């Protein structure tokens, strides 16, 4: 008991902990409602990630109070009472980090975790191969690594996770502790493979690097999609004076100079496209998209007048 309720929470291998953070970040959507089961002073999740809710269930109130991620928490010993006080489907992501080896009722805990997971959400379970032998339950210690993975997969399926959504990741140096991550969702995975994928990487740093690369690609895609869906402000720049229209307008996201557009049944030509950014949350975000346009006839006139001007000699 002192092991869990002392002034400091147990500290896992820092490389594996960082890797687990990266995996979690890559599988949780922005604005998600997150539940961290077995939470302590630090969750395996970046504190600056935008979540709508971050709830923790743990043993030690002093640890939960220090957890910078959580905006809500409660003290509960899942070995004494595994029933979670949340309505079904309350969370988009449920994490159970490095706790499985110490659960006396893993089936009940996983069943409850699955119950409170949204039908399109994800449940992510993890553990390491170097779990504290003095605290891990006897049944867990008697299983091989492969048997542990198969048992967890079976418990997820029994709790209602869709077979096609199951994913197994194994990583870590062969000479040191390994990190095991098994996840699933009540919803089937689109274009799922026939069997869960087991990814075994010798070098934890390598997998972390690949994970970050994949997440960057996904973030870039999400950013591009967000920009594409943003409407345009329209400014009529000729004839003077300039006039900005009150409404927002949706045009093709790749609209560029010279394109013809119709606004309120009038024809215009785009003379300039402007993107205005603001610095927020440590990065620049697109704030406003502006199309500067001219009536078609005016644009053509301006072009002819421009062509009549003497060209500068180089």
């Amino acid at each position: 008991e002192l092991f869990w309720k002392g002034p400091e929470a147990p500290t896992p291998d820092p490389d594996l902990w960082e890797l687990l953070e990266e995996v979690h970040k890559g599988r949780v959507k922005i604005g998600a409602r997150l539940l961290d089961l077995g939470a302590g002073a630090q969750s395996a999740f970046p504190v600056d990630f935008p979540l709508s809710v971050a709830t923790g269930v743990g043993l030690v109130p002093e640890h939960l109070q220090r957890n910078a991620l959580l905006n809500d928490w409660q003290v509960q010993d899942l070995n004494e009472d595994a029933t979670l006080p949340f309505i079904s489907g309350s969370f988009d992501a449920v994490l159970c980090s490095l706790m499985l080896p110490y659960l006396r009722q893993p089936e009940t805990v996983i069943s409850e975790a699955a119950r409170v997971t949204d039908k399109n959400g994800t449940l992510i379970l993890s553990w390491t191969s170097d779990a504290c032998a003095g605290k891990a339950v006897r049944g867990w210690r008697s299983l091989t690594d492969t048997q542990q993975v198969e048992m967890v997969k079976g418990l997820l399926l029994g709790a209602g996770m869709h077979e096609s959504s199951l994913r197994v990741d194994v990583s870590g140096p062969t000479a040191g502790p390994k990190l095991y991550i098994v996840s699933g969702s009540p919803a089937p995975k689109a274009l799922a493979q026939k069997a869960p994928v087991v990814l075994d990487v010798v070098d934890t740093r390598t997998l972390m690097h690949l994970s970050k690369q994949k997440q960057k690609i996904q973030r870039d895609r999400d950013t591009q999609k967000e920009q594409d869906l943003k409407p345009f402000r329209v400014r009529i720049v000729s004839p003077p004076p300039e006039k900005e229209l009150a409404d927002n307008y949706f045009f093709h996201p790749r609209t560029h100079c010279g394109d013809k557009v119709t606004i309120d049944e009038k024809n215009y030509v785009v003379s300039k496209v402007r993107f205005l950014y603001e610095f927020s949350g440590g990065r620049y975000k697109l704030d406003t998209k502006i199309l500067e346009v001219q009536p078609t006839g005016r644009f053509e006139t301006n072009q002819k007048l421009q062509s009549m001007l003497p060209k500068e000699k180089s």
Side-chain angles (χ1 to χ4, degrees), residues 201-217:
V201 178
V202 173
D203 183 4
T204 302
R205 292 283 180 180
T206 299
L207 181 58
M208 195 182 306
H209 176 69
L210 294 174
S211 176
K212 288 181 178 180
Q213 280 187 326
K214 183 177 180 181
Q215 289 174 36
K216 182 180 183 305
I217 292 172

Side-chain angles (χ1 to χ4, degrees), residues 39-100:
Q42 179 183 3
S43 295
F45 201 85
V47 297
D48 59 348
F49 190 94
L51 298 168
S52 60
V53 173
T55 301
V57 173
L59 275 175
V60 188
E62 293 81 7
H63 294 170
L64 295 168
Q65 287 173 349
R66 299 208 311 268
N67 191 313
L69 177 74
L70 305 179
N71 50 40
D72 182 35
W73 54 267
Q74 74 168 52
V75 176
Q76 181 174 342
D77 186 345
L78 295 176
N79 277 334
E80 297 296 330
D81 179 12
T83 303
L84 298 175
F86 309 109
I87 64 174
S88 299
S90 298
F91 299 97
D92 304 300
V94 178
L95 312 180
C96 185
S97 306
L98 313 186
M99 188 179 63
L100 277 177

Side-chain angles (χ1 to χ4, degrees), residues 107-128:
E107 183 175 2
T108 306
V109 172
I110 291 175
S111 178
E112 277 292 285
R115 179 183 64 80
V116 301
T117 302
D118 183 81
K119 63 180 181 180
N120 293 312
T122 184
L123 169 57
I124 306 175
L125 311 167
S126 61
W127 68 94
T128 61

Side-chain angles (χ1 to χ4, degrees), residues 110-263:
I110 291 175
S111 178
E112 277 292 285
R115 179 183 64 80
V116 301
T117 302
D118 183 81
K119 63 180 181 180
N120 293 312
T122 184
L123 169 57
I124 306 175
L125 311 167
S126 61
W127 68 94
T128 61
S129 59
D130 64 343
C132 179
K135 286 291 180 177
V137 297
R138 184 179 305 170
W140 181 269
R141 297 199 308 268
S142 67
L143 300 176
T144 65
D145 293 350
T146 301
Q147 290 172 334
Q148 290 169 357
V149 170
E150 291 303 315
M151 182 192 78
V152 174
K153 284 164 53 182
L155 293 178
L156 283 174
L157 291 174
M161 297 293 107
H162 198 281
E163 184 176 11
S164 69
S165 74
L166 290 190
R167 174 168 176 170
V168 179
D169 295 280
V170 185
S171 68
T174 54
K178 286 193 174 187
L179 175 66
Y180 295 84
I181 303 171
V182 183
S183 59
S185 171
K189 180 177 177 60
L191 301 177
Q193 298 182 4
K194 294 182 178 180
V197 177
V198 178
L199 179 60
D200 193 351
V201 178
V202 173
D203 183 4
T204 302
R205 292 283 180 180
T206 299
L207 181 58
M208 195 182 306
H209 176 69
L210 294 174
S211 176
K212 288 181 178 180
Q213 280 187 326
K214 183 177 180 181
Q215 289 174 36
K216 182 180 183 305
I217 292 172
Q218 186 59 50
R219 284 197 303 270
D220 290 343
R221 288 175 178 169
D222 292 342
T223 300
Q224 187 64 59
K225 183 178 180 180
E226 181 181 356
Q227 292 180 358
D228 289 349
L229 294 176
K230 198 172 188 67
F232 286 91
R233 302 289 299 172
V234 175
R235 185 175 296 161
I236 302 175
V237 296
S238 182
E242 293 186 3
K243 175 186 176 182
E244 184 162 325
L245 303 184
D247 294 331
N248 293 321
Y249 295 86
F250 289 91
F251 300 108
H252 192 283
R254 305 295 177 268
T255 299
H256 58 273
C257 296
D259 285 351
K260 296 180 179 181
V261 295
T262 300
I263 304 172

